[in-house]
Structure formats: C-alpha cells, structure tokens
Amino acid sequence: MPVRARELGYRYPGSRREPGRVGVQAVDLTVEAGERVALIGPNGSGKSTLVRLLATDLPPTVGELELLGRTAAPASPALRRRIAYAADRPVHWEPLTGAENLRFLAEVRGGGKESGAGDPLTMARTLGLGAVLDEAVSRYSFGMRRRLLLAEVLVASAPLLLLDEPTVGLDPEGVAALGRELRDRAQEGAAVVFATNEVREVPAWATRVLFLHQGRVVADAPPEDLLARVRGRSRLTVVYRGPCFEELDGLEALEGLGALEQWEEPLSASGPRGLRTVRIRTARGSRLLPELLEVLLNAGAEIRDVRVREPDLRDVFRELTGVELEVEEDAEAEPSPGGGHP
C-alpha cells in the first residue's frame, strides 16, 4: 500500500518559553494504488505539513507512517527515489536553463524518454514552458519556476506522487493538462496526493477528499458524497443602487420563499455611494432570483450586477467547520461597479 498512517502527528520546534505549533495531529490515512486524494483546508490547517510528512521531508513526532510498504522514519534514499514530490516553493539550479534542469533530474532519477509523453521537454511544453526552455532559470518568474518543477516531478515514474498547490502559476490549458496527467498516472497504478484549495477542479481530479482543520482530518469521502450535503443551496449575489436591503418591502415574503441567510455590505470603500451588495443563500437555487429582483425593482433599485453560484466544496467545508476557505482565484470576486462579469 503506498500510504498507511496511524495517529500521525507533527509539532514544529518551539522555544523554552513557547511550545512549537502543531502541524497535524491524530491523522489516520490510507491511500491505495490508483487513488487520487485531495487535501483541502485553510492556511495553517496542516495540508502542507501532511504532504511534507508523506514526502519524508519532515519526520513524524508521533504516530506511525509507512510508505510503499516501508517504515518512513528514518527515510532511506531508496524510498525517497520512489516518491515524486513538488513542494510549494520550487528550487532549481538557477544558472542552468530549464531544459538542462529537466534533463539532469530525469537522468538522475532514471526516467525520461527521448520522445513521447515521458520526455521531460514534452511535459514542459505541455505546461506552457516551450518558449523559455533555453533560458536560465534565474530569469524565470515564480509561475514559470512552478511549472518547471511540475514538469520535473511528472516525468518521474514514481509510485507515489505528492503535489503541494500544483495549480499555482498555471494557465487554464496548463491546469487541464495537469488534470489529465494525474488521471493517467493513477490509471497506471500510482497513488496521487495533492494539497489545494482550487475547489472547482477537485471533483474531476480527486477520487477522495480530506478536509483538514486545525491539523485534524474532519472529513474523508469521495467529492460527490461531500457535495450531496449542500446540493441545491445556491448563492445569489446582486449589486444594486438603492435603499438598504433590510428595509425593503417584501423582504418577509422572500424569507418565506427559502432564503437561508442574507446580508449586505458596501461594494468597496472607493466605490460609488449608494452601491450595495446583497448575498442570499437559498435552497431554492436560482428559482428565487425572479422574486428577489422583483422586490428590488419595486423599491426603485438600479440593478448593476447579478451572479448565481452553485454550491461547491467551500460550502461543505464551511458547514462542517464554520470556517471559510481561501480560494486562489475566487469565481465570486466582487463585481465591478460598472456591472458585468470580469
């Protein structure tokens, strides 16, 4: 079995006056060959710590951890060679070009073919690095370095693949290519574990989701089972110029139609005066929208923007923990004062 952990925990070193921060605690986890497991949680929840433990980058301070049938602590070079790990911050030989970094690591690991999908340069081009492969890595942006790291990791034929925030720095084509590669690796028998809060991709990428909160696993289930908890609970957002939402005639009728909660706030401190944002979570989905707009229009409101977001894993996490997830590129970012979608 690629991963077997029991009561796994890690506490970061502290000082004489202050105990070290708890990274993860009491984690029980098994990952079978062919599984794709997503770790989701806010900053400080333990995602990166758990990935580092599985990568043998950190030694457990408590509990048991077996990787690929071997005890993980202390980690042997032979075990580490069977693990492909993309950390949250890439490290390269900066005077070398991207192509030289790729070829060197592929040769060291014994992977990489001269052509085809296993070629490190092919992988790099797929991730959008084709134009800069002959440039020194010292000239790369952070996003380029992240993509180069992914190409280096993905070209390795390792039975355990670990990725920390793999979508950072990728454009939509790169994200799609990464998703295909992870599915292919799992079909070939690799176990894949990745930490992310890019919840829109997770249902297609993962066979299981672990929610981490304050270092503990609070849920472990297929994404479709988790999403079933919030099915139908849409979130409506309307930006308008007009009276305070709580003072509108017809608000009581809206509440009777199934609005779970509502609130308003200024669009931004620098936005035009009188521009308001009202958000409503409702079990009626977008069917509540006509009644909501009718109440606003009858009150003389000027509608500037309307958005509907179906529930996703953020809503499940909030329901289980009461905590909001940070999302790298929130699809529900504040609308512009001029209306329309960015």
Side-chain angles (χ1 to χ4, degrees):
M1 181 177 294
V3 176
R4 186 194 302 273
R6 179 176 175 80
E7 293 292 316
L8 186 66
Y10 182 80
R11 181 185 287 273
Y12 286 92
S15 65
R16 291 182 178 180
R17 294 185 177 183
E18 295 290 337
R21 176 177 63 86
V22 173
V24 295
Q25 52 186 325
V27 171
D28 291 332
L29 173 64
T30 60
V31 182
E32 302 278 358
E35 282 195 291
R36 290 168 278 135
V37 179
L39 310 178
I40 294 178
N43 290 339
S45 63
K47 300 191 307 293
S48 293
T49 301
L50 182 52
V51 172
R52 291 181 67 187
L53 285 167
L54 300 183
T56 71
D57 191 35
L58 292 175
T61 52
V62 67
E64 302 174 1
L65 176 61
E66 291 183 5
L67 299 172
L68 303 168
R70 300 185 182 188
T71 300
S76 67
L79 174 59
R80 287 187 165 183
R81 279 195 293 270
R82 302 182 67 203
I83 300 171
Y85 170 43
D88 58 346
R89 291 193 175 274
V91 177
H92 298 99
W93 290 274
E94 300 212 349
L96 302 183
T97 67
E100 288 169 339
N101 271 273
L102 281 163
R103 291 194 183 102
F104 174 75
L105 288 173
E107 184 171 341
V108 166
R109 295 193 66 106
K113 305 173 185 176
E114 291 301 318
S115 61
D119 176 20
L121 300 186
T122 298
M123 183 64 65
R125 294 186 188 100
T126 300
L127 294 174
L129 288 174
V132 296
L133 283 174
D134 293 328
E135 293 185 17
V137 172
S138 59
R139 300 175 59 185
Y140 280 23
S141 67
F142 177 75
M144 291 175 182
R145 293 166 192 247
R146 285 287 303 172
R147 281 178 272 174
L148 181 61
L149 174 64
L150 286 174
E152 292 165 349
V153 169
L154 291 172
V155 78
S157 299
L160 179 57
L161 185 59
L162 306 171
L163 308 173
D164 195 354
E165 301 291 354
T167 59
V168 172
L170 295 186
D171 58 18
E173 290 185 1
V175 170
L178 176 60
R180 290 192 298 270
E181 187 66 23
L182 295 185
R183 288 190 290 271
D184 289 346
R185 292 303 175 89
Q187 289 177 356
E188 294 168 0
V192 179
V193 180
F194 60 97
T196 184
N197 279 347
E198 186 50 69
V199 296
R200 288 163 295 200
E201 306 296 341
V202 168
W205 283 22
T207 55
R208 280 169 57 201
V209 172
L210 265 68
F211 281 155
L212 286 161
H213 180 51
Q214 296 179 346
R216 293 184 179 272
V217 176
V218 296
D220 180 357
E224 57 270 20
D225 290 356
L226 293 170
L227 289 170
R229 300 174 61 104
V230 294
R231 187 170 293 123
R233 301 183 195 175
S234 301
R235 177 161 161 164
L236 313 180
T237 302
V238 179
V239 178
Y240 71 97
R241 191 190 306 277
C244 175
F245 182 73
E246 294 180 354
E247 299 174 357
L248 294 180
D249 291 335
L251 179 58
E252 292 182 1
L254 276 180
E255 291 174 337
L257 289 171
L260 299 180
E261 54 180 300
Q262 66 282 322
W263 68 97
E264 66 155 321
E265 59 185 19
L267 183 64
S268 68
S270 60
R273 288 189 175 185
L275 201 59
R276 305 178 186 275
T277 300
V278 59
R279 296 186 178 91
I280 293 183
R281 291 195 184 97
T282 170
R284 293 191 67 218
S286 57
R287 291 174 295 169
L288 184 69
L289 189 58
E291 289 93 341
L292 171 61
L293 295 180
E294 182 179 6
V295 167
L296 287 167
L297 291 171
N298 287 341
E302 176 188 345
I303 307 298
R304 302 296 297 273
D305 193 276
V306 177
R307 297 188 178 201
V308 179
R309 179 172 74 78
E310 296 305 321
D312 58 27
L313 291 168
R314 286 173 290 180
D315 301 280
V316 184
F317 190 88
R318 182 176 52 245
E319 180 177 284
L320 291 173
T321 66
V323 174
E324 297 280 350
L325 281 174
E326 305 95 345
V327 178
E328 296 163 9
E329 297 179 1
D330 197 334
E332 199 184 4
E334 294 293 357
S336 62
H341 299 265

